Amino acid sequence: MLKIGQINPLKVVGEFPFGYQLSHADDDRSIVLTEEVEQPLAVDSEVQAMVYTGENGQLAASLATPKILAGEVKVLKAVGVTDFAAFFDWGLPRDLMVPRQNQAMPVNQGMVYPVYLYFDEPTGRLLGTTKLHPFLSENGIYFKAGQEVELIVCGQTDLGYKVVINQTHLGLVFASDAFKKLRIGDETTGYIKQVREDGKIDVALQQVNATGRDALQQAILDDLEAHGGFSTLTDKSPPEEIYAHFNVSKAAYKRALGALYKQQKIKLDKQKITLVE
Protein backbone atom coordinates (compact mmCIF):
# COMPACT_ATOMS: atom_id res chain seq x y z
CA MET A 1 0.00 0.00 0.00
CA LEU A 2 1.32 3.44 -0.94
CA LYS A 3 1.92 5.55 2.16
CA ILE A 4 1.99 9.29 1.58
CA GLY A 5 4.44 10.96 3.91
CA GLN A 6 6.52 7.78 4.27
CA ILE A 7 9.44 6.10 2.53
CA ASN A 8 8.06 3.77 -0.16
CA PRO A 9 9.52 1.24 -2.61
CA LEU A 10 8.93 2.70 -6.08
CA LYS A 11 9.65 1.58 -9.62
CA VAL A 12 11.04 3.83 -12.36
CA VAL A 13 8.57 3.58 -15.26
CA GLY A 14 9.64 6.50 -17.44
CA GLU A 15 12.17 9.28 -17.94
CA PHE A 16 11.41 12.84 -18.96
CA PRO A 17 13.55 15.95 -19.57
CA PHE A 18 12.48 17.25 -16.15
CA GLY A 19 12.86 14.02 -14.20
CA TYR A 20 11.37 10.56 -13.79
CA GLN A 21 7.96 8.96 -13.56
CA LEU A 22 7.64 6.47 -10.72
CA SER A 23 4.93 4.06 -9.64
CA HIS A 24 3.97 1.92 -6.67
CA ALA A 25 3.02 -1.73 -7.10
CA ASP A 26 -0.31 -1.29 -5.27
CA ASP A 27 -1.31 2.13 -6.62
CA ASP A 28 -1.97 3.28 -10.18
CA ARG A 29 -1.27 6.97 -9.55
CA SER A 30 1.72 8.59 -11.22
CA ILE A 31 4.50 9.84 -8.97
CA VAL A 32 7.01 12.38 -10.27
CA LEU A 33 10.65 12.74 -9.24
CA THR A 34 11.99 16.08 -10.44
CA GLU A 35 14.99 16.66 -8.20
CA GLU A 36 18.54 16.10 -9.42
CA VAL A 37 19.98 12.64 -8.82
CA GLU A 38 23.63 11.66 -8.38
CA GLN A 39 23.39 8.83 -10.89
CA PRO A 40 20.84 8.39 -13.72
CA LEU A 41 17.99 6.02 -12.88
CA ALA A 42 17.34 3.16 -15.24
CA VAL A 43 13.79 2.37 -16.32
CA ASP A 44 12.45 -0.66 -14.39
CA SER A 45 14.89 -0.04 -11.53
CA GLU A 46 13.59 0.37 -7.98
CA VAL A 47 14.25 3.14 -5.48
CA GLN A 48 13.29 3.93 -1.90
CA ALA A 49 11.77 7.41 -1.88
CA MET A 50 9.71 9.74 0.28
CA VAL A 51 6.28 10.30 -1.30
CA TYR A 52 4.68 13.68 -0.66
CA THR A 53 2.19 16.04 -2.32
CA GLY A 54 3.20 18.80 -4.71
CA GLU A 55 1.67 22.23 -5.14
CA ASN A 56 -1.16 21.00 -7.36
CA GLY A 57 -1.80 17.94 -5.20
CA GLN A 58 0.09 15.62 -7.56
CA LEU A 59 2.22 12.98 -5.89
CA ALA A 60 5.92 13.71 -5.85
CA ALA A 61 8.93 11.74 -4.68
CA SER A 62 12.26 12.65 -3.15
CA LEU A 63 15.38 10.60 -2.61
CA ALA A 64 16.48 12.99 0.14
CA THR A 65 16.21 11.88 3.75
CA PRO A 66 13.24 13.73 5.29
CA LYS A 67 13.50 15.25 8.75
CA ILE A 68 10.00 14.05 9.59
CA LEU A 69 7.56 11.34 8.47
CA ALA A 70 3.79 11.31 8.63
CA GLY A 71 2.61 10.53 12.15
CA GLU A 72 5.74 11.92 13.79
CA VAL A 73 6.53 15.00 15.86
CA LYS A 74 9.88 16.58 15.11
CA VAL A 75 11.52 19.88 15.94
CA LEU A 76 11.69 21.87 12.70
CA LYS A 77 12.87 25.35 11.79
CA ALA A 78 10.49 27.92 10.32
CA VAL A 79 12.04 29.30 7.14
CA GLY A 80 9.18 31.49 5.97
CA VAL A 81 6.00 33.12 7.27
CA THR A 82 3.07 34.67 5.39
CA ASP A 83 -0.39 35.88 6.40
CA PHE A 84 -1.92 32.48 5.68
CA ALA A 85 0.81 29.96 6.60
CA ALA A 86 4.28 29.25 7.91
CA PHE A 87 6.79 27.13 6.04
CA PHE A 88 9.25 24.73 7.64
CA ASP A 89 12.42 23.02 6.47
CA TRP A 90 11.71 19.30 6.51
CA GLY A 91 14.62 18.19 4.35
CA LEU A 92 12.74 18.09 1.03
CA PRO A 93 12.92 20.43 -1.98
CA ARG A 94 9.55 22.01 -1.18
CA ASP A 95 9.03 23.41 2.33
CA LEU A 96 6.35 21.99 4.61
CA MET A 97 3.31 24.23 5.00
CA VAL A 98 1.70 24.82 8.39
CA PRO A 99 -1.53 26.77 7.74
CA ARG A 100 -2.33 29.60 10.11
CA GLN A 101 -5.26 27.67 11.61
CA ASN A 102 -2.82 24.86 12.46
CA GLN A 103 -0.55 27.07 14.54
CA ALA A 104 -0.83 26.81 18.32
CA MET A 105 0.79 30.25 18.48
CA PRO A 106 2.03 32.65 15.80
CA VAL A 107 5.15 31.24 14.16
CA ASN A 108 8.27 33.38 13.91
CA GLN A 109 10.69 32.86 11.05
CA GLY A 110 14.03 31.44 12.12
CA MET A 111 12.72 29.79 15.28
CA VAL A 112 12.17 26.07 15.90
CA TYR A 113 8.89 24.40 16.86
CA PRO A 114 7.62 20.86 17.46
CA VAL A 115 5.61 20.01 14.32
CA TYR A 116 3.31 17.05 13.67
CA LEU A 117 3.04 15.85 10.05
CA TYR A 118 -0.24 14.40 8.77
CA PHE A 119 -2.11 13.70 5.55
CA ASP A 120 -5.16 15.94 5.32
CA GLU A 121 -7.91 13.95 3.63
CA PRO A 122 -10.16 16.92 2.67
CA THR A 123 -7.39 18.68 0.76
CA GLY A 124 -5.38 15.62 -0.24
CA ARG A 125 -2.18 17.25 0.99
CA LEU A 126 0.53 16.67 3.56
CA LEU A 127 0.36 19.40 6.17
CA GLY A 128 2.10 20.26 9.38
CA THR A 129 0.60 21.49 12.62
CA THR A 130 1.93 22.82 15.90
CA LYS A 131 -1.43 22.03 17.50
CA LEU A 132 -0.60 18.59 18.86
CA HIS A 133 -3.61 17.74 21.04
CA PRO A 134 -5.86 16.51 18.19
CA PHE A 135 -3.25 13.93 17.19
CA LEU A 136 -1.60 12.76 20.42
CA SER A 137 -3.20 10.93 23.34
CA GLU A 138 -3.22 12.21 26.92
CA ASN A 139 -4.27 8.84 28.33
CA GLY A 140 -1.25 7.06 29.78
CA ILE A 141 -2.93 3.77 30.64
CA TYR A 142 -0.13 1.74 29.03
CA PHE A 143 2.74 3.55 30.73
CA LYS A 144 4.32 2.43 33.99
CA ALA A 145 5.91 4.54 36.72
CA GLY A 146 9.67 4.65 36.26
CA GLN A 147 9.51 3.84 32.55
CA GLU A 148 12.16 5.64 30.49
CA VAL A 149 10.73 7.74 27.68
CA GLU A 150 11.87 10.24 25.06
CA LEU A 151 10.53 13.77 25.43
CA ILE A 152 10.10 16.85 23.26
CA VAL A 153 9.20 20.06 25.08
CA CYS A 154 6.20 21.54 23.27
CA GLY A 155 4.80 24.20 25.60
CA GLN A 156 4.94 25.93 28.95
CA THR A 157 2.20 26.51 31.55
CA ASP A 158 2.01 27.88 35.08
CA LEU A 159 2.47 24.32 36.33
CA GLY A 160 5.50 23.43 34.23
CA TYR A 161 6.23 22.13 30.75
CA LYS A 162 4.08 20.25 28.28
CA VAL A 163 5.98 17.42 26.61
CA VAL A 164 5.52 14.94 23.79
CA ILE A 165 6.18 11.42 25.07
CA ASN A 166 7.58 8.81 22.66
CA GLN A 167 5.95 10.56 19.69
CA THR A 168 2.50 9.32 20.77
CA HIS A 169 1.36 11.02 23.98
CA LEU A 170 1.28 14.34 25.78
CA GLY A 171 2.34 14.80 29.39
CA LEU A 172 3.53 17.34 31.91
CA VAL A 173 6.83 17.98 33.65
CA PHE A 174 6.04 19.98 36.77
CA ALA A 175 8.26 23.00 37.36
CA SER A 176 9.49 21.38 40.59
CA ASP A 177 10.75 18.41 38.58
CA ALA A 178 12.42 20.56 35.91
CA PHE A 179 15.78 20.92 37.58
CA LYS A 180 17.37 22.19 34.38
CA LYS A 181 16.20 24.96 32.10
CA LEU A 182 13.87 23.74 29.38
CA ARG A 183 12.93 25.47 26.15
CA ILE A 184 10.27 24.67 23.59
CA GLY A 185 11.81 22.29 21.10
CA ASP A 186 14.27 20.72 23.55
CA GLU A 187 14.61 16.94 23.26
CA THR A 188 15.60 14.94 26.32
CA THR A 189 15.16 11.64 28.14
CA GLY A 190 12.66 11.43 30.98
CA TYR A 191 10.82 8.98 33.20
CA ILE A 192 7.14 8.41 33.88
CA LYS A 193 6.50 9.79 37.35
CA GLN A 194 2.89 8.70 37.61
CA VAL A 195 -0.27 8.14 35.61
CA ARG A 196 -3.09 9.95 37.41
CA GLU A 197 -6.58 8.56 37.92
CA ASP A 198 -7.85 10.60 34.98
CA GLY A 199 -5.13 9.08 32.76
CA LYS A 200 -3.02 12.24 32.56
CA ILE A 201 0.72 11.63 32.57
CA ASP A 202 3.25 13.27 34.89
CA VAL A 203 6.87 13.02 33.78
CA ALA A 204 10.16 13.63 35.61
CA LEU A 205 13.60 14.24 34.18
CA GLN A 206 15.17 11.70 36.52
CA GLN A 207 14.26 8.42 38.15
CA VAL A 208 12.06 9.07 41.17
CA ASN A 209 11.58 5.45 42.27
CA ALA A 210 13.69 3.33 44.59
CA THR A 211 15.95 2.21 41.75
CA GLY A 212 16.80 5.78 40.87
CA ARG A 213 17.43 6.72 44.51
CA ASP A 214 19.69 3.73 45.07
CA ALA A 215 21.61 4.46 41.88
CA LEU A 216 22.26 8.06 42.94
CA GLN A 217 23.44 7.00 46.38
CA GLN A 218 25.87 4.52 44.84
CA ALA A 219 27.08 7.16 42.38
CA ILE A 220 27.86 9.51 45.30
CA LEU A 221 29.79 6.78 47.12
CA ASP A 222 31.73 5.89 43.97
CA ASP A 223 32.57 9.55 43.42
CA LEU A 224 33.84 9.90 46.99
CA GLU A 225 36.03 6.82 46.64
CA ALA A 226 37.45 8.14 43.37
CA HIS A 227 38.40 11.46 45.01
CA GLY A 228 40.17 10.34 48.18
CA GLY A 229 37.07 9.96 50.31
CA PHE A 230 35.80 13.54 50.33
CA SER A 231 33.94 16.03 48.15
CA THR A 232 33.20 19.75 48.34
CA LEU A 233 29.89 19.25 46.52
CA THR A 234 27.58 19.57 49.52
CA ASP A 235 23.85 20.12 49.99
CA LYS A 236 24.68 23.85 50.00
CA SER A 237 26.20 23.78 46.51
CA PRO A 238 24.43 25.56 43.62
CA PRO A 239 21.90 23.41 41.72
CA GLU A 240 23.84 23.96 38.48
CA GLU A 241 26.99 22.39 39.95
CA ILE A 242 25.05 19.39 41.27
CA TYR A 243 23.33 18.84 37.93
CA ALA A 244 26.60 19.17 36.01
CA HIS A 245 28.22 16.51 38.21
CA PHE A 246 25.40 14.00 38.79
CA ASN A 247 22.70 15.01 36.29
CA VAL A 248 20.09 15.29 39.08
CA SER A 249 18.23 18.05 40.88
CA LYS A 250 19.48 19.59 44.11
CA ALA A 251 16.46 18.16 45.93
CA ALA A 252 17.27 14.62 44.80
CA TYR A 253 20.92 15.09 45.75
CA LYS A 254 19.99 16.31 49.23
CA ARG A 255 17.69 13.32 49.74
CA ALA A 256 20.48 10.95 48.72
CA LEU A 257 22.95 12.63 51.07
CA GLY A 258 20.41 12.39 53.89
CA ALA A 259 19.90 8.70 53.26
CA LEU A 260 23.65 8.01 53.22
CA TYR A 261 24.11 10.03 56.41
CA LYS A 262 21.40 8.01 58.18
CA GLN A 263 23.13 4.84 57.00
CA GLN A 264 26.34 6.25 58.56
CA LYS A 265 28.16 5.95 55.24
CA ILE A 266 29.14 9.63 55.07
CA LYS A 267 29.84 12.59 57.34
CA LEU A 268 28.41 16.00 56.49
CA ASP A 269 29.46 19.57 57.20
CA LYS A 270 29.01 22.88 55.39
CA GLN A 271 32.30 22.64 53.48
CA LYS A 272 32.61 18.97 52.53
CA ILE A 273 31.30 15.42 52.52
CA THR A 274 33.54 12.72 53.95
CA LEU A 275 33.30 8.99 53.31
CA VAL A 276 33.10 6.90 56.49
CA GLU A 277 35.72 4.20 56.44
Side-chain angles (χ1 to χ4, degrees):
M1 179 179 178
L2 179 67
K3 297 180 180 179
I4 301 175
Q6 302 284 342
I7 305 295
N8 290 265
L10 303 175
K11 184 177 181 180
V12 180
V13 295
E15 182 177 359
F16 303 103
F18 58 85
Y20 297 89
Q21 181 182 4
L22 310 178
S23 69
H24 189 276
D26 299 327
D27 199 293
D28 59 2
R29 286 175 290 180
S30 176
I31 305 168
V32 178
L33 173 67
T34 58
E35 66 188 31
E36 293 185 6
V37 295
E38 294 183 3
Q39 298 292 335
L41 302 178
V43 174
D44 291 332
S45 63
E46 292 190 356
V47 295
Q48 295 287 327
M50 169 73 165
V51 176
Y52 63 104
T53 50
E55 286 187 37
N56 57 2
Q58 182 179 359
L59 295 181
S62 175
L63 301 182
T65 301
K67 297 179 179 180
I68 186 173
L69 298 174
E72 290 184 339
V73 178
K74 295 293 182 181
V75 178
L76 303 178
K77 183 177 181 180
V79 294
V81 178
T82 68
D83 290 338
F84 67 90
F87 298 87
F88 286 77
D89 174 18
W90 61 329
L92 299 185
R94 184 169 169 268
D95 296 328
L96 173 64
M97 184 171 74
V98 176
R100 190 171 185 176
Q101 64 268 25
N102 282 8
Q103 298 172 24
M105 63 184 69
V107 172
N108 294 312
Q109 184 171 333
M111 295 186 66
V112 297
Y113 299 85
V115 176
Y116 181 86
L117 178 64
Y118 70 102
F119 181 72
D120 185 54
E121 293 285 353
T123 63
R125 304 176 70 179
L126 278 173
L127 296 174
T129 179
T130 60
K131 293 181 178 179
L132 306 179
H133 284 84
F135 301 95
L136 304 179
S137 173
E138 293 186 88
N139 191 329
I141 185 173
Y142 296 110
F143 288 108
K144 296 181 179 179
Q147 180 179 342
E148 182 175 316
V149 290
E150 295 304 315
L151 307 176
I152 300 175
V153 181
C154 61
Q156 188 171 2
T157 71
D158 293 338
L159 295 175
Y161 299 90
K162 296 179 181 178
V163 291
V164 176
I165 306 170
N166 287 354
Q167 296 281 329
T168 59
H169 288 70
L170 291 170
L172 180 69
V173 176
F174 281 95
S176 58
D177 291 320
F179 54 86
K180 63 179 179 178
K181 186 176 181 180
L182 296 175
R183 296 174 297 179
I184 293 176
D186 282 353
E187 301 180 63
T188 186
T189 298
Y191 301 88
I192 301 298
K193 184 177 182 180
Q194 67 170 348
V195 178
R196 291 180 252 162
E197 290 185 0
D198 61 359
K200 298 294 179 64
I201 313 165
D202 295 338
V203 190
L205 299 186
Q206 63 194 37
Q207 283 277 22
V208 294
N209 58 15
T211 300
R213 292 192 293 270
D214 293 345
L216 177 56
Q217 291 174 31
Q218 188 59 51
I220 293 171
L221 294 176
D222 292 344
D223 184 69
L224 286 168
E225 290 183 357
H227 294 87
F230 76 95
S231 170
T232 58
L233 193 68
T234 70
D235 58 355
K236 307 298 182 182
S237 299
E240 296 80 9
E241 292 184 13
I242 294 171
Y243 175 71
H245 201 80
F246 287 105
N247 200 35
V248 298
S249 67
K250 183 171 181 174
Y253 185 64
K254 291 177 69 174
R255 287 194 295 270
L257 291 181
L260 291 172
Y261 179 77
K262 289 180 180 179
Q263 297 167 35
Q264 299 183 347
K265 293 183 178 180
I266 61 172
K267 294 179 181 179
L268 294 172
D269 62 48
K270 293 182 179 180
Q271 285 73 40
K272 66 180 183 300
I273 304 167
T274 305
L275 184 66
V276 175
E277 298 181 358

